[in-house]
Amino acid sequence: MVQGNVERERTLAEQARVRGVAQNTASETALLAAAVRRGKVERPDITLWPENSLDSDPTHDLTLGALVTDSVRVLDGPLLIGAILDGPDGRSYNAGQLWIPGQGPVTSYAKRQLVPFGEYIPARSLLGGLGSLQLIPRDFAPGTSQAPLKVGAIRLGDVICYEVANDGLVRDAVRAGANLLVVQTNNATYERGLQAGQSEQQLAMARIRAIEFGRSVALASTSGVSAIVAPGGTVIDRAGTWRSAYLVERVPLADGHTLAERLGAWPEALLAALALAGLVRRPGRRHRGASTPSVRDAPLTRLGAG
């Protein structure tokens, strides 16, 4: 997993221009490939880049396409990138795209649950020109498929950024056959000022998903926190925020079913219904003919003088 990083001191507008992120990520990937050649680390079965590691479609942008092709060549292995892909319908998708040596891009996953005012602007004609919303020039279209991305024995279940907060989306990936989960995310614009801490929150979500579904989870972030989580929720390795790094770990590929996968949202729905029933239930009224409490059951009262 490669974390390319961006400069923390950049303004929000500058961080939104992520072509520099692509170069940073490719440079860190070259360091990983050099470490493999020196025998410092094992050659990865798959290398993961974060969300928005590219700001446009590398199959149409010749510069970015060459950058990805070179990275795949030096790695001599499969690479999952994060990119803005152009669909045949003329719409754009926030996606993870799998590249294979000698083949190029072979398959992709497009984010299904989009974030309002982040990936699309409701009432754009009215609100699109306000403040930082001007940095969102287009609305993304949601994807429709959760089919795993297959590389040899790996069946990769991809979710992008805050999709990890929706256990139903992760459950879809597992039920479709994923034996390894990856969360591609871009946290650079959220680790600023009072918004700091979002990365740790996302890591906590990834750990919960690992426990729920018994799968290893790789959290690939642009600027951290990136981490590799074991099926039991233990963090095997991590890279902190605002630094470039690569992580190489061997993790189990898990099949089988868990209780959380089988039951889905039913336990939550049942508990919510019980809580709601407790809130709306009214206590029964005392009947007029009810007997008075006995002396033995009556509360004691101290009688004072005066």
Side-chain angles (χ1 to χ4, degrees), residues 74-85:
V74 298
L75 286 168
D76 192 24
L79 172 65
L80 179 70
I81 67 171
I84 308 304
L85 300 184

Side-chain angles (χ1 to χ4, degrees), residues 207-252:
R207 296 180 66 189
I208 290 174
R209 300 300 169 236
I211 296 169
E212 281 183 326
F213 300 108
R215 300 296 194 271
S216 302
V217 180
L219 174 61
S221 171
T222 304
S223 56
V225 172
S226 294
I228 299 175
V229 183
T234 302
V235 177
I236 301 173
D237 199 2
R238 59 177 286 165
T241 54
W242 304 114
R243 54 167 296 200
S244 59
Y246 59 80
L247 305 176
V248 180
E249 296 289 345
R250 181 174 294 275
V251 298

Side-chain angles (χ1 to χ4, degrees), residues 36-113:
V36 170
R37 290 193 297 270
R38 295 196 306 268
K40 183 179 178 180
V41 297
E42 291 186 77
R43 183 177 303 279
D45 295 307
I46 185 169
T47 301
L48 309 174
W49 282 7
E51 176 192 23
N52 300 151
S53 42
L54 308 178
D55 65 348
S56 61
D57 194 326
T59 63
H60 298 157
D61 187 312
L62 296 181
T63 301
L64 291 181
L67 183 147
V68 177
T69 299
D70 287 346
S71 295
V72 173
R73 177 181 53 78
V74 298
L75 286 168
D76 192 24
L79 172 65
L80 179 70
I81 67 171
I84 308 304
L85 300 184
D86 301 323
D89 51 5
R91 299 194 291 177
S92 298
Y93 297 86
N94 185 4
Q97 187 179 56
L98 182 64
W99 287 59
I100 302 295
Q103 300 181 45
V106 293
T107 187
S108 63
Y109 165 75
K111 187 176 183 181
R112 295 190 293 157
Q113 183 170 314

Side-chain angles (χ1 to χ4, degrees), residues 166-283:
N166 188 322
D167 53 355
L169 294 177
V170 183
R171 179 173 179 251
D172 288 346
V174 173
R175 290 175 69 86
N179 57 14
L180 173 65
L181 298 173
V182 59
V183 183
Q184 294 180 287
T185 187
N186 177 11
N187 295 329
T189 55
Y190 292 98
E191 287 292 335
R192 300 167 59 87
L194 296 178
Q195 298 184 78
Q198 186 260 8
S199 297
E200 293 290 348
Q201 184 185 58
Q202 205 164 50
L203 174 57
M205 293 177 183
R207 296 180 66 189
I208 290 174
R209 300 300 169 236
I211 296 169
E212 281 183 326
F213 300 108
R215 300 296 194 271
S216 302
V217 180
L219 174 61
S221 171
T222 304
S223 56
V225 172
S226 294
I228 299 175
V229 183
T234 302
V235 177
I236 301 173
D237 199 2
R238 59 177 286 165
T241 54
W242 304 114
R243 54 167 296 200
S244 59
Y246 59 80
L247 305 176
V248 180
E249 296 289 345
R250 181 174 294 275
V251 298
L253 301 177
D255 290 306
H257 305 278
T258 64
L259 191 62
E261 180 201 341
R262 293 179 186 278
L263 296 181
W266 280 107
E268 298 169 44
L270 177 60
L271 291 173
L274 291 175
L276 183 61
L279 289 174
V280 300
R281 180 177 177 272
R282 299 178 62 184

